[in-house]
């Protein structure tokens, strides 16, 4: 079979592009831990405020008895609650997101924080901010007229300057006095 040399050349170019894209996906997954969400956990979105975990008092940053830092944020038209959290740099963090109404999304550029927040599900992400700074966070799924104004702010401070909130939680997200 005769293949025109020019056609062959373009064939190689296409193979190189496919190889490059595959390499980007593999490197992102293995090195940067950017993966599709795989954590499936359901929750009753209409009763979030009555749930133990996402009740108003339990939102924001909490440290459990083992010292694990957990951040819980509720997304609802048109805001994130709480709108601002402060976390330490260079520390493993677990973020748990829940929607109180419709589909929302979050994306923090240059981090693995990228997920949809589906009503009825808890979106859980583990991340670690290497550097202190201000990380503005926007809703990235169209959720209605106020979508453009739906944002939150994650402030990352140096580990040694971060103080755990006074409120602590026992396992299971229950607050106790
Ligand atoms: Cu919430 Cu767009």
């Amino acid at each position: 079979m005769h293949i025109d040399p020019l056609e062959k050349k373009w064939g190689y170019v296409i193979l190189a592009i496919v190889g490059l894209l595959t390499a980007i996906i593999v490197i992102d997954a293995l090195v940067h831990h950017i993966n599709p969400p795989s954590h499936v956990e359901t929750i009753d979105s209409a009763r979030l405020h009555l749930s133990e975990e996402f009740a108003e008092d339990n939102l924001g940053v909490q440290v459990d008895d083992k010292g694990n830092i957990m951040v819980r944020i509720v997304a609802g038209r048109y805001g994130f609650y709480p709108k601002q959290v402060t976390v330490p740099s260079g520390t493993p963090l677990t973020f748990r997101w829940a929607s109180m109404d419709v589909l929302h999304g979050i994306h923090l550029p240059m981090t693995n924080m990228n997920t949809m927040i589906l009503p009825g599900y808890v979106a859980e992400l583990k991340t670690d901010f290497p550097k202190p700074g201000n990380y503005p966070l926007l809703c990235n799924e169209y959720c209605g007229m106020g979508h453009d104004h739906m944002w939150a702010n994650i402030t990352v401070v140096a580990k040694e300057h971060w103080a755990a909130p006074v409120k602590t939680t026992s396992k299971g997200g229950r607050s106790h006095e």
Side-chain angles (χ1 to χ4, degrees), residues 22-170:
T22 308
I24 289 173
I25 292 169
V26 171
I27 290 168
D28 269 346
L30 298 181
V31 181
H32 301 132
H33 303 291
I34 297 173
N35 302 301
S38 53
H39 178 85
V40 178
E41 187 183 333
T42 56
I43 194 164
D44 184 352
S45 275
R47 297 168 58 84
L48 271 192
H49 58 297
L50 301 173
S51 74
E52 284 182 349
E53 183 178 356
F54 288 94
E56 203 177 340
D57 286 352
N58 290 332
L59 299 182
V61 183
Q62 289 192 338
V63 183
D64 71 11
D65 3 325
K66 290 188 195 106
N68 301 316
I69 302 175
M70 188 74 85
V71 185
R72 292 186 180 83
I73 300 179
V74 166
R77 289 186 290 180
Y78 295 101
F80 291 99
Y81 311 95
K83 201 172 189 148
Q84 198 277 333
V85 292
T86 303
V87 292
S89 65
T91 308
L93 306 166
T94 305
F95 277 82
R96 285 169 66 78
W97 306 83
S99 165
M100 64 164 90
D101 41 39
V102 298
L103 173 65
H104 300 281
I106 43 150
H107 177 220
L108 259 192
M110 311 306 286
T111 72
N112 67 342
M113 190 86 89
N114 185 359
T115 186
M116 293 197 291
I117 307 168
L118 283 133
Y121 294 89
V122 177
E124 187 177 297
L125 273 179
K126 290 183 197 305
T127 196
D128 189 327
F129 296 102
K131 278 192 237 129
N134 225 349
Y135 293 76
L137 188 117
L138 292 164
C139 180
N140 75 341
E141 293 285 346
Y142 182 73
C143 52
M145 296 296 279
H147 163 73
D148 293 349
H149 305 289
M150 190 166 165
W151 57 272
N153 222 317
I154 297 178
T155 307
V156 180
V157 296
K159 210 175 184 170
E160 55 273 23
H161 295 144
W162 185 78
V166 182
K167 203 166 57 179
T168 54
T169 177
S170 60

